[in-house]
């Protein structure tokens, strides 16, 4: 029996739109939180330019806690917080809250690792030139690690796409919800296959873009 696109096409378009909405908004917010987190971890760690054991330890513990919780459990565990922020716990917008809490600590850790790859001589050179901590961060650390940070953000965005698909299982909408509703619950195999292909294409495009940008920056 031929697959009927008349009902599936509008559902597919709506699901793609919801997935893009969740991923783009959650990713942008996560970057705004995650990059500063990574920078603070590096500058406050032992021998950092603004060493502060208390700040480093607290942030390190918080990040480890959030990174230890599986996304599907995190979605349920923070329902009261999600309601506080967006006044509902169901729907595409509501799914953005756990997606941010899942992704931002991950980005923070990835950015920390990228910054730690920088040769200490670069920081010592900046200090010898009389640069302030802010100038060291903005003019030396971040530019030096930019290529690596872009690759880290690429990895985080791919993980975010996977998490957004899981959000569909708890009423978040998007391609995950489409696959579960029609592919799993109604045994429409074509719907499942098309959804998987779309997710693979999204991931492939993001990885290709991340590789291109990182390669271009590192050549400069």
């Amino acid at each position: 029996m031929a697959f009927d696109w008349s009902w599936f096409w509008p559902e597919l378009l709506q699901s793609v739109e919801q997935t893009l909405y969740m991923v783009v908004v959650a990713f942008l917010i996560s970057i705004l939180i995650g990059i500063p987190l990574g920078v603070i971890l590096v500058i406050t760690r032992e021998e950092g330019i603004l060493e502060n054991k208390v700040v480093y330890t607290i942030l390190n513990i918080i990040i480890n806690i959030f990174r230890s919780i599986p996304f599907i459990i995190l979605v349920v565990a923070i329902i009261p917080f999600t309601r506080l922020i967006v006044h509902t716990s169901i729907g595409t917008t509501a799914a953005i809250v756990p997606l941010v809490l899942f992704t931002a600590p991950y980005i923070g850790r990835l950015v920390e690792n990228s910054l730690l790859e920088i040769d200490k001589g670069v920081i010592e050179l900046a200090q010898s030139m009389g640069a302030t901590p802010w100038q060291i961060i903005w003019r030396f650390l971040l530019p030096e690690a930019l290529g690596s940070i872009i690759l880290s953000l690429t990895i985080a965005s791919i993980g975010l796409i996977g998490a957004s698909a899981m959000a569909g299982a708890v009423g978040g909408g998007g391609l995950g919800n489409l696959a579960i509703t029609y592919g799993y619950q109604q045994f429409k195999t074509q719907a499942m296959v098309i959804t998987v292909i779309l997710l693979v294409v999204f991931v492939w495009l993001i990885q290709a873009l991340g590789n291109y940008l990182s390669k271009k920056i590192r050549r400069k």
Side-chain angles (χ1 to χ4, degrees), residues 13-74:
L13 288 179
Q14 185 184 33
S15 297
V16 170
E17 183 182 338
Q18 290 173 338
T19 294
L20 290 176
Y21 170 63
M22 281 190 289
V23 170
V24 171
V25 175
F27 187 57
L28 292 177
I29 298 174
S30 297
I31 287 176
L32 293 177
I33 298 172
I35 291 181
L37 270 179
V39 171
I40 294 172
L41 282 171
V42 170
I43 65 175
T44 58
R45 68 189 298 119
E46 188 176 355
E47 298 184 359
I49 60 175
L50 290 174
E51 183 177 338
N52 189 315
K53 191 174 181 180
V54 175
V55 173
Y56 176 80
T57 302
I58 292 173
L59 284 182
N60 197 40
I61 291 172
I62 291 173
I63 288 175
N64 284 341
I65 289 173
F66 277 98
R67 288 196 61 207
S68 302
I69 304 173
F71 179 72
I72 199 74
I73 295 176
L74 180 68

Side-chain angles (χ1 to χ4, degrees), residues 110-177:
L110 290 172
V111 170
E112 178 194 19
N113 291 335
S114 295
L115 294 176
L116 289 176
E117 291 175 0
I118 299 173
D119 190 337
K120 288 185 178 178
V122 173
I123 299 173
E124 291 170 358
L125 174 64
Q127 290 173 324
S128 68
M129 294 168 63
T132 63
W134 172 252
Q135 289 172 329
I136 293 174
I137 294 167
W138 191 248
R139 296 184 180 178
F140 292 89
L141 287 179
L142 290 177
E144 281 290 324
L146 188 56
S148 177
I149 289 175
I150 287 176
L151 283 180
S152 296
L153 293 179
T154 303
I155 294 170
S157 63
I158 290 171
L160 182 58
I161 290 176
S164 74
M166 280 190 279
V170 289
L175 290 170
N177 181 59

